Amino acid sequence: MPIISSRQKTDEAVRNISRFQSGEIKPVSTGHPWIDEVMLGGLLPSTILTIGGMSNHGKTHLMQSIENSILDNYQDIVLLRCNWESPVYKLLLRKMKEKTNAKLTELLYEKPTGERLDKIKEICNQERRDGLYYMEEPNSPDGFFNEVSTFLDAHKDKKVLISIDHVGLVKGREKASIDGLFEMMNLLKKMHPFVMFIPLIQMHRERILSRADDLLRHHPQQADFYGSDQLFQVSDGVIAIYNAYKVGIQEKYMKFTKNKFTYIDESFIIDGGEKWNHFNPAGNLFLHATKVRDMDDIEGFKEVWVEKLFEVEEAPIVKKDKKSVEASLDEI
């Protein structure tokens, strides 16, 4: 990039701020009100929103639900999916499952009819829309920069969302390669008027399980993310998605003062006595805002959100070891 005078960059910044103030530039909603709230209204130009989680805890599903919401509601956004892990047919099946409430086995092995067939045709037509692209082969940081910069140049007049599933598959697969990929995203976000990134990253299972008996340290921490240094430096937001019950935390998740999370519905909370409360892990999914760049500007910042995954009729009476609990839940 060339060296530019401060006068020119300041004038450019003032013009951009004026476009926000006039309503010409508006944040892109993720379709998840809590994420929009912690991200100052949604995805803004140059946003890097990193989603972390252990395998099978729902990070790809969360990203795909954000993508689907944007595809449903924004016709002027170009989406580049770097689906380095899942083939396209699996992404399409997940969307069909979500939109039709059918089982994967039904979608794979039964010919659709009636309303389901109509819905599937609608989904496929939407996936064929202009402005949806794929990069299926993992790339090196430099290769990613070269390909994406060319792509951005071709779409200067559009808003662009780039999702990466997941960054640990970057060529090299070492910390230096992951750091390099985030460094390239940081460069690319300055090369386009409205580009947004949603990279996914794995979290260290062993680190998290080592704290399974420590209620005060249950919550995800920066060191739990692979390649944590660079991603926390350049990301505007880092969200950890965590199914505590799935890793064997069956009775209580976290320990916090009673006035800590008053915005959370009481059905998700267990009374821990005079001073303390806990979250109920059974059937619930936890989203943690592990980093938000401008959190001081958000009144009543909500650092944790809880979503119901499934109903649990009774809390487990007999404790199982962590491996057997995870195996049984994988069958649900």
Side-chain angles (χ1 to χ4, degrees):
M1 285 187 176
I3 296 173
I4 301 173
S5 72
S6 65
R7 178 183 295 275
Q8 181 178 343
K9 296 306 295 184
T10 300
D11 289 345
E12 179 183 308
V14 168
R15 286 195 297 271
N16 279 336
I17 292 170
S18 297
R19 294 171 68 200
F20 278 102
Q21 294 169 346
S22 68
E24 182 182 349
I25 297 179
K26 297 179 180 178
V28 173
S29 173
T30 63
H32 293 260
W34 173 75
I35 296 178
D36 288 349
E37 187 174 343
V38 300
M39 294 300 293
L40 295 180
L43 303 179
L44 302 174
S46 302
T47 292
I48 299 177
L49 173 61
T50 299
I51 299 173
M54 290 185 285
S55 295
N56 298 317
H57 277 233
K59 59 185 182 297
T60 299
H61 181 270
L62 175 59
M63 183 184 71
Q64 192 170 12
S65 72
I66 294 172
E67 292 174 345
N68 290 339
S69 176
I70 290 173
L71 289 175
D72 287 342
N73 294 289
Y74 297 92
Q75 296 301 313
D76 61 333
I77 291 181
V78 172
L79 171 59
L80 172 60
R81 285 175 170 154
C82 303
N83 58 315
W84 294 346
E85 182 170 51
S86 299
V88 174
Y89 88 90
K90 287 190 176 181
L91 299 178
L92 192 57
L93 279 171
R94 285 175 185 156
K95 187 169 185 177
M96 291 177 181
K97 181 177 185 290
E98 179 183 349
K99 298 286 187 179
T100 65
N101 294 317
K103 295 180 179 179
L104 287 176
T105 51
E106 294 172 336
L107 293 168
L108 274 173
Y109 304 120
E110 298 177 9
K111 289 188 175 181
T113 59
E115 291 184 7
R116 183 182 296 173
L117 176 59
D118 292 339
K119 192 65 181 178
I120 288 174
K121 286 182 177 178
E122 179 185 332
I123 292 166
C124 291
N125 286 335
Q126 185 189 53
E127 291 295 305
R128 293 187 181 103
R129 59 166 268 185
D130 292 335
L132 179 54
Y133 299 87
Y134 286 90
M135 180 195 291
E136 295 198 275
E137 292 297 323
N139 215 326
S140 66
D142 288 340
F144 177 82
F145 177 85
N146 292 334
E147 288 196 36
V148 173
S149 60
T150 300
F151 182 82
L152 293 178
D153 283 341
H155 296 90
K156 283 285 189 185
D157 59 336
K158 298 284 188 179
K159 300 183 183 77
V160 178
L161 172 63
I162 300 172
S163 61
I164 306 173
D165 186 7
H166 59 83
V167 299
L169 295 175
V170 63
K171 281 189 177 178
R173 298 194 181 191
E174 298 176 353
K175 184 179 183 301
S177 297
I178 296 173
D179 286 348
L181 189 63
F182 275 97
E183 182 181 347
M184 294 304 124
M185 281 185 262
N186 194 46
L187 293 175
L188 289 162
K189 74 180 186 181
K190 302 172 185 177
M191 298 173 60
H192 189 277
F194 204 134
V195 62
M196 307 155 283
F197 292 89
I198 303 180
L200 303 190
I201 192 162
Q202 293 277 53
M203 294 176 68
H204 290 280
R205 178 180 179 82
E206 293 77 14
R207 287 181 184 271
I208 294 171
L209 290 180
S210 70
R211 306 193 304 271
D213 296 325
D214 189 342
L215 289 166
L216 289 173
R217 297 176 64 243
H218 269 169
H219 60 283
Q221 300 170 18
Q222 179 172 336
D224 296 335
F225 294 77
Y226 285 101
S228 58
D229 298 339
Q230 189 74 351
L231 82 88
F232 270 84
Q233 182 176 343
V234 305
S235 296
D236 299 281
V238 180
I239 292 174
I241 184 167
Y242 187 38
N243 186 337
Y245 192 83
K246 193 170 186 178
V247 297
I249 300 174
Q250 302 177 45
E251 297 175 355
K252 299 174 183 177
Y253 175 55
M254 297 180 57
K255 180 179 181 179
F256 48 87
T257 56
K258 285 193 175 295
N259 61 351
K260 177 73 171 175
F261 298 114
T262 55
Y263 62 88
I264 298 288
D265 189 281
E266 291 182 358
S267 64
F268 295 121
I269 293 177
I270 297 171
D271 192 325
E274 184 177 349
K275 296 181 179 180
W276 305 100
N277 278 340
H278 312 277
F279 287 122
N280 180 5
N284 299 322
L285 185 70
F286 299 89
L287 302 174
H288 295 261
T290 311
K291 178 203 171 175
V292 175
R293 193 180 299 281
D294 301 301
M295 62 182 296
D296 292 341
D297 279 358
I298 304 173
E299 186 175 350
F301 179 71
K302 299 174 182 176
E303 61 186 276
V304 180
W305 192 249
V306 191
E307 295 182 358
K308 176 64 68 179
L309 277 179
F310 55 87
E311 295 293 337
V312 177
E313 293 183 4
E314 295 182 4
I317 297 173
V318 180
K319 285 189 175 182
K320 300 179 181 180
D321 63 76
K322 296 181 180 65
K323 289 184 179 179
S324 64
V325 170
E326 182 163 1
S328 63
L329 283 171
D330 282 338
E331 298 170 359
I332 294 177

